[in-house]
Amino acid sequence: MMDKYNFLYPRSSYRGDCKPKNLVFNANLQEFSHITNYIANLQTNGKISSFRAYQEIKAAYKLLKRSKKALEIDNKF
C-alpha cells in the first residue's frame, strides 16, 4: 500500500534554508505540482476541456500564491 502511495504522491527532500515557513511552502509547492500534473493528464486524455484545465490550474496557483504571501516568503534567489 505504501508503494502505491509513494508512487502517486512522491515527495522530494527540501534543500534550502531550513525554516518552518520554507518547509511549509515547499510542501505547498509540491502539492501544486501534483495537482497541476493530474489536471494536465485529465485534459490530455480528454476528460476535461482545455478551458476547465486552465481554470483549475489558475485556481491552484492562486492558492499557492496566497500561501506564499501568508508565510511571508521573500523572492530572494
Side-chain angles (χ1 to χ4, degrees), residues 37-68:
N37 189 23
Y38 284 131
I39 293 168
N41 287 332
L42 287 171
Q43 192 278 324
T44 300
N45 289 318
K47 305 294 182 187
I48 61 174
S49 68
S50 297
F51 183 71
R52 171 100 188 268
Y54 170 77
Q55 288 177 322
E56 296 288 333
I57 291 172
K58 186 177 177 181
Y61 182 72
K62 283 184 179 182
L63 287 174
L64 180 66
K65 209 170 158 183
R66 227 180 288 153
S67 82
K68 181 182 177 195

Side-chain angles (χ1 to χ4, degrees), residues 5-62:
Y5 181 82
N6 289 334
F7 177 75
L8 293 174
Y9 306 104
R11 293 284 178 189
S12 299
S13 58
Y14 179 69
R15 293 182 174 97
D17 192 14
C18 194
K19 294 179 184 176
K21 67 181 183 178
N22 291 347
L23 295 173
V24 170
F25 183 71
N26 182 48
N28 293 343
L29 187 59
Q30 287 188 38
E31 183 178 349
F32 172 76
S33 173
H34 294 305
I35 290 170
T36 304
N37 189 23
Y38 284 131
I39 293 168
N41 287 332
L42 287 171
Q43 192 278 324
T44 300
N45 289 318
K47 305 294 182 187
I48 61 174
S49 68
S50 297
F51 183 71
R52 171 100 188 268
Y54 170 77
Q55 288 177 322
E56 296 288 333
I57 291 172
K58 186 177 177 181
Y61 182 72
K62 283 184 179 182

